[in-house]
């Protein structure tokens, strides 16, 4: 069966690093391996080769006939930085990966603190 993506979230670096190294050596996917501020410890996410979140957004933009100036993106992980850079309005969640927080136009509270409701104010 084809695997379209996978995530392993919130493990100790020493436990997750061998998997990240092995996946990177195979070269069959886009690998994000980063310190995860929300889940704690480290997270690993793999997407199909040559496929990124931005490519998915661009394909959707083309499909519906809109442009990046109509895109709002919400991200919390190291794997969201490219997507946040692409969006016209970028939103990070408090406690997110530092790179995402650095480039975000807005920072909202965590979901359990009602942060998602604030996204409506940004549309």
């Amino acid at each position: 069966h084809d695997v379209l993506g996978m995530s392993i979230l919130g493990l100790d670096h020493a436990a997750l690093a061998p998997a990240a190294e092995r996946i990177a050596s195979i070269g069959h996917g886009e690998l994000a391996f980063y310190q995860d501020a929300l889940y704690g410890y480290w997270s690993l996410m793999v997407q199909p080769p040559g496929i990124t979140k931005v490519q998915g957004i661009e394909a959707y933009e083309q499909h519906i006939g809109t442009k990046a100036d109509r895109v709002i993106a919400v991200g919390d992980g190291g794997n969201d930085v490219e997507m946040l850079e692409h969006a016209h309005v970028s939103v990070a969640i408090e406690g997110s990966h530092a790179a995402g927080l650095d480039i975000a136009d807005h920072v909202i509270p965590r979901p359990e603190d009602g942060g998602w409701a604030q996204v409506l104010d940004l549309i």
Side-chain angles (χ1 to χ4, degrees):
H1 300 285
D2 290 333
V3 176
L4 300 178
M6 68 168 240
S7 302
I8 303 172
L9 307 171
L11 293 180
D12 183 66
H13 184 276
L16 201 50
E21 290 171 13
R22 177 71 175 124
I23 292 167
S25 73
I26 295 170
H28 289 298
E30 300 295 328
L31 176 70
F33 183 47
Y34 55 93
Q35 283 188 289
D36 197 319
L38 291 181
Y39 294 101
Y41 301 101
W42 287 74
S43 290
L44 168 71
M45 301 182 105
V46 183
Q47 295 171 206
I51 303 297
T52 66
K53 290 180 180 187
V54 169
Q55 288 173 320
I57 292 167
E58 289 173 336
Y60 184 72
E61 290 169 356
Q62 184 177 8
H63 176 72
I64 66 169
T66 193
K67 296 180 181 174
D69 67 352
R70 307 261 314 156
V71 173
I72 182 170
V74 180
D76 61 5
N79 65 323
D80 294 324
V81 173
E82 181 186 21
M83 175 185 69
L84 293 172
E85 290 173 335
H86 173 80
H88 182 68
V89 177
S90 58
V91 182
I93 299 169
E94 287 177 352
S96 294
H97 191 274
L101 288 169
D102 288 345
I103 63 168
D105 298 314
H106 303 277
V107 178
I108 61 172
R110 295 171 60 102
E112 61 267 24
D113 297 328
W116 280 100
Q118 292 185 15
V119 173
L120 297 174
D121 296 332
L122 302 175
I123 296 176

